């Protein structure tokens, strides 16, 4: 099993995490006994800052709201974004073909890193649904759209690289319906596929969880329900999120409200729900021992180098004597 951390080459990560030092990533990986990184490409790749030998996986770019654009539902897009200019700003174009080309270009960039795997988010939501959780689209519709999109761009995925589908708590891949997870693997044209189980995202599907122990039991329940499909979980994004009380409160406070949120409102909500906190108990060990993934990614929202180190140290302590 490879033990990794997540990082991007966005300016904020270069400044806040690597402190603009070329040798910083190497020193960090060596200090904490890591095998490398799961990388997100947000800018041209500086190979000196992010040595290729450390890049084991690439997390593809994503648009949280995309299904209406893919389907050409202009009324739904205008209801969410307000104007054509806002739509263009979000997708980079009003033409779906241009957006698909953006996906292909991201895949071509990822291929230059020679990763072992790629991560693809399988979810869709619009901001007007966030507070209420009253969704216009079903899991089935999002899975179907994902299969169509992946098959459109699959020729750009290098052979021998695994495509791992990641779960979220919005409509799409939530692992609540094993048959949909199975359909995703069966119907995409890329030969080597599987799942990246995001533990925090899975915990966000159950607002009744109140402890890490609850979270570990819930992961075990979902994993057992997947049956043979559970063997196709090749990677784990390890972090915990106990935000059920907040989710319930927001649903109550905003019942019947369907306004689109500003970027700031949406980000504040997502960060309150999807907390990316480190595990502090042996619940982490039991999750990893249950799944035995090929890739274990300590995935956090790192606000500074100190914050990153503290979170990693905390979670590694919870996993003590389990990494092999």
């Amino acid at each position: 099993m490879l033990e990794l951390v997540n990082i991007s080459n966005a300016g904020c990560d270069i400044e806040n995490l690597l402190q603009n030092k070329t040798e910083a990533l190497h020193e960090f990986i060596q200090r904490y006994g890591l095998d490398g990184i799961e990388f997100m490409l947000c800018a041209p790749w500086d190979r000196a800052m992010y040595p290729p030998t450390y890049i084991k996986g690439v997390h593809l770019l994503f648009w949280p709201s995309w299904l209406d654009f893919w389907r050409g539902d202009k009324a739904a897009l205008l209801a969410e974004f307000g104007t054509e200019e806002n739509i263009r700003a979000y997708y980079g174009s009003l033409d779906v073909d241009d957006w698909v080309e953006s996906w292909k270009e991201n895949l071509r960039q990822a291929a230059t890193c020679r990763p072992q795997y790629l991560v693809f988010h399988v979810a869709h939501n619009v901001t007007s649904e966030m507070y209420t959780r009253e969704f216009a689209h079903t899991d089935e519709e999002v899975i179907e759209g994902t299969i169509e999109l992946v098959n459109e761009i699959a020729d750009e995925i290098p052979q021998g690289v695994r495509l791992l589908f990641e779960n979220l708590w919005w409509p799409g891949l939530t692992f609540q319906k094993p048959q949909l997870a199975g359909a995703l693997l069966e119907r995409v044209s890329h030969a080597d596929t599987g799942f990246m189980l995001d533990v925090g995202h899975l915990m966000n599907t159950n607002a009744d969880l109140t402890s890490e122990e609850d979270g570990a039991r819930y992961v075990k329940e979902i994993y057992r329900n997947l049956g043979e499909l559970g063997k196709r979980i090749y990677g784990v994004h390890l972090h915990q999120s106990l935000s059920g009380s907040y989710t319930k409160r927001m649903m109550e406070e905003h019942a019947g409200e369907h306004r689109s949120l500003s970027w700031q409102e949406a980000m504040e909500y997502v960060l309150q729900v999807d907390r990316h906190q480190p595990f502090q108990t042996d619940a982490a060990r039991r999750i990893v021992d249950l799944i035995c993934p090929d890739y274990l990614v300590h995935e956090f929202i790192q606000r500074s180098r100190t914050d990153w180190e503290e979170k990693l140290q905390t979670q590694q302590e919870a996993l003590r004597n389990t990494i092999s």
Side-chain angles (χ1 to χ4, degrees):
M1 179 174 68
L2 298 181
E3 187 181 0
L4 314 175
V5 288
N6 66 300
I7 192 171
S8 79
N9 66 345
C12 57
D13 279 1
I14 292 174
E15 180 176 351
N16 296 335
L17 304 185
L18 302 184
Q19 301 169 331
N20 297 304
K21 297 176 181 177
T22 302
E23 69 281 4
L25 184 61
H26 171 77
E27 292 175 352
F28 187 89
I29 287 172
Q30 295 300 311
R31 179 180 302 168
Y32 292 103
L34 301 167
D35 297 296
I37 63 173
E38 182 178 290
F39 193 35
M40 180 176 280
L41 284 154
C42 305
W45 174 29
D46 181 343
R47 287 166 172 77
M49 186 74 74
Y50 300 91
T53 185
Y54 289 137
I55 301 174
K56 307 305 180 183
V58 172
H59 196 308
L60 298 173
L61 298 179
F62 59 94
W63 287 258
S65 176
W66 62 274
L67 190 58
D68 296 320
F69 188 65
W70 174 249
R71 289 180 167 181
D73 190 338
K74 189 172 183 179
L77 290 169
L78 287 172
E80 172 65 9
F81 293 100
T83 68
E84 285 192 353
E85 280 308 303
N86 289 340
I87 298 170
R88 189 196 310 274
Y90 188 77
Y91 297 104
S93 174
L94 295 177
D95 188 330
V96 172
D97 290 339
D98 292 338
W99 179 68
V100 170
E101 181 59 29
S102 297
W103 276 104
K104 292 181 178 180
E105 177 58 24
N106 189 217
L107 284 167
R108 288 190 286 267
Q109 292 171 346
T112 66
C113 300
R114 299 189 179 277
Q116 297 179 21
Y117 69 89
L118 304 170
V119 180
F120 189 106
H121 271 187
V122 184
H124 165 87
N125 77 291
V126 295
T127 62
S128 58
E129 302 170 344
M130 284 183 169
Y131 291 158
T132 64
R133 303 292 181 98
E134 295 172 355
F135 301 116
H137 293 299
T138 64
D139 294 331
E140 288 79 3
E141 289 174 309
V142 179
I143 294 291
E144 187 65 30
T146 299
I147 292 167
E148 294 167 0
L149 175 59
V150 170
N151 286 341
E152 184 73 18
I153 63 178
D155 287 347
E156 298 292 344
I157 303 172
Q159 294 301 309
V161 176
R162 275 180 174 161
L163 179 64
L164 303 184
F165 295 109
E166 180 179 349
N167 59 297
L168 281 92
W169 66 97
W170 309 118
L173 179 64
T174 63
F175 289 128
Q176 309 300 300
K177 302 173 182 177
Q179 71 276 15
L180 293 184
L184 193 58
L185 300 189
E186 292 167 7
R187 294 177 52 203
V188 296
S189 57
H190 186 66
D192 194 353
T193 58
F195 301 114
M196 174 64 73
L197 171 63
D198 189 294
V199 176
H201 292 173
L202 186 61
M203 292 173 71
N204 289 339
T205 66
N206 186 340
D208 294 326
L209 304 179
T210 60
S211 68
E212 292 183 9
E213 179 66 28
D214 287 347
R217 280 196 296 265
Y218 185 57
V219 171
K220 182 177 180 180
E221 175 188 339
I222 296 298
Y223 183 78
R224 301 290 191 210
N225 289 342
L226 285 172
E228 288 297 305
L229 282 173
K231 297 177 181 178
R232 301 288 290 277
I233 297 175
Y234 297 121
V236 168
H237 283 170
L238 190 64
H239 59 97
Q240 56 94 350
S241 184
L242 293 167
S243 56
S245 60
Y246 174 81
T247 297
K248 291 177 181 178
R249 177 163 59 83
M250 296 301 281
M251 291 176 70
E252 292 173 359
E253 290 180 3
H254 297 276
E257 182 181 307
H258 300 289
R259 67 178 179 87
S260 296
L261 307 183
S262 68
W263 181 87
Q264 292 85 352
E265 288 174 312
M267 282 302 299
E268 180 180 350
Y269 178 79
V270 170
L271 292 174
Q272 287 290 335
V273 172
D274 192 23
R275 296 183 177 176
H276 282 80
Q277 292 297 310
F279 275 90
Q280 301 183 53
T281 72
D282 65 358
R285 184 178 68 242
R286 282 180 279 120
I287 290 170
V288 173
D289 287 348
L290 173 69
I291 297 172
C292 297
D294 294 338
Y295 310 102
L296 174 62
V297 186
H298 297 278
E299 190 184 58
F300 306 122
I301 298 172
Q302 317 98 321
R303 305 186 187 282
S304 68
R305 175 62 176 262
T306 299
D307 179 59
W308 193 20
E309 293 195 25
E310 288 175 351
K311 287 175 176 175
L312 179 58
Q313 289 171 347
T314 296
Q315 190 154 274
Q316 284 189 324
E317 180 67 18
L319 284 166
R320 191 175 58 246
N321 300 324
T322 67
I323 305 301
S324 60

